[in-house]
Amino acid sequence: MNKIILYTVIYIFISDSLYAGAQPLPADTIFSRDSLHFKSDKNKKTESETVIIFDESKIAPQNVSFIFNELFRQYIAVKDALVYNDSYNSVRNTLKLLDDMRSKTKNIDLLNKDDRWVFFMNNFDNIRTKAESAKFISEQRFLFNEITNGLKNFIRQYGLYDKTIYLMKCTAVSQAGNTEWFSDSRDKKNPYLGLLNDTANIKVKEVWKF
């Protein structure tokens, strides 16, 4: 029963059905361009890549976006641990990310008025316990996928400061449930497959410019 409740909490945390997910992007410009779908050199093909340029006047004030920059750096640390199949640091970095999400935002009125954020904080202990008990790398990758979905909504709404990030997609059929993550560069590191140089299963889905 506790497991069902916890998954419900995580689902509500990430769900686009809540009001923020339905709001239009705070962006000035959205356009597509051809991007390289990573393949071996003789099998390269191009696919559409969406570039989103966010309007600074429509996202959160700098003090909030600075905090999300810090959270994003810690998120990247989780991603890198999974790339290297480092189960110990995956848990360690995930717990630090969760702790930072609580400690660094507790006095931010804008977040304290966001129903999704408040719900997440009210259930923080349950989510942290789940992260702490994720001993297998497959469990950690599942949780990373859930965190990615949650941060995607919050970063889209509140923004980052002076930063370009990349929404990556894993195209491997075996990873149908774990498919997206953020990167701070156009690298070939795949956190779901644990590959440092994945030339077959990665594409850039969107580029977010703040």
Side-chain angles (χ1 to χ4, degrees), residues 47-74:
E47 291 192 354
S48 179
E49 172 185 293
T50 300
V51 179
I52 304 173
I53 302 175
F54 285 79
D55 182 350
E56 184 178 339
S57 69
K58 297 178 182 177
I59 58 178
Q62 284 187 9
N63 66 314
V64 177
S65 57
F66 281 151
I67 290 173
F68 274 95
N69 276 31
E70 295 177 17
L71 298 178
F72 185 79
R73 280 194 293 270
Q74 186 58 33

Side-chain angles (χ1 to χ4, degrees), residues 25 43 65 69-70 80 82 92 97-99 118 127 129 132 156 162 165-166 178 181 190 203 208:
L25 293 176
N43 291 317
S65 57
N69 276 31
E70 295 177 17
D80 287 343
L82 293 172
R92 178 175 173 271
L97 172 59
L98 292 172
D99 290 342
V118 171
I127 296 172
T129 298
E132 195 170 22
R156 181 170 55 193
D162 192 26
I165 61 175
Y166 303 87
N178 298 334
W181 71 95
N190 192 326
K203 73 172 184 178
W208 294 13

Side-chain angles (χ1 to χ4, degrees), residues 122-141:
N122 286 342
N123 293 276
F124 176 88
D125 290 339
N126 288 334
I127 296 172
R128 194 184 190 284
T129 298
K130 178 63 178 178
E132 195 170 22
S133 64
K135 302 303 182 185
F136 297 103
I137 197 102
S138 59
E139 295 175 297
Q140 295 159 15
R141 286 181 169 129

Side-chain angles (χ1 to χ4, degrees), residues 4-16:
I4 294 174
I5 293 173
L6 178 59
Y7 284 145
T8 301
V9 169
I10 294 176
Y11 175 78
I12 294 176
F13 167 55
I14 68 171
S15 176
D16 277 336

Side-chain angles (χ1 to χ4, degrees), residues 119-187:
F119 188 89
F120 167 60
M121 286 300 146
N122 286 342
N123 293 276
F124 176 88
D125 290 339
N126 288 334
I127 296 172
R128 194 184 190 284
T129 298
K130 178 63 178 178
E132 195 170 22
S133 64
K135 302 303 182 185
F136 297 103
I137 197 102
S138 59
E139 295 175 297
Q140 295 159 15
R141 286 181 169 129
F142 172 82
L143 186 59
F144 176 74
N145 184 65
E146 301 302 305
I147 290 172
T148 297
N149 289 334
L151 280 180
K152 182 162 63 173
N153 287 332
F154 289 122
I155 291 175
R156 181 170 55 193
Q157 182 174 353
Y158 296 114
L160 298 172
Y161 178 73
D162 192 26
K163 194 167 186 64
T164 297
I165 61 175
Y166 303 87
L167 182 61
M168 313 293 286
K169 184 176 180 64
C170 179
T171 60
V173 175
S174 63
Q175 297 297 310
N178 298 334
T179 59
E180 294 183 350
W181 71 95
F182 282 113
S183 179
D184 54 359
S185 65
R186 290 178 180 272
D187 58 34

Side-chain angles (χ1 to χ4, degrees), residues 93-130:
N93 291 335
T94 299
L95 292 176
K96 186 177 188 310
L97 172 59
L98 292 172
D99 290 342
D100 286 350
M101 289 175 75
R102 179 167 64 176
S103 64
K104 294 179 182 296
T105 64
K106 62 182 179 181
N107 295 320
I108 303 296
D109 289 339
L110 189 63
L111 292 174
N112 291 331
K113 295 175 182 177
D114 184 325
D115 289 342
R116 295 167 310 137
W117 191 267
V118 171
F119 188 89
F120 167 60
M121 286 300 146
N122 286 342
N123 293 276
F124 176 88
D125 290 339
N126 288 334
I127 296 172
R128 194 184 190 284
T129 298
K130 178 63 178 178

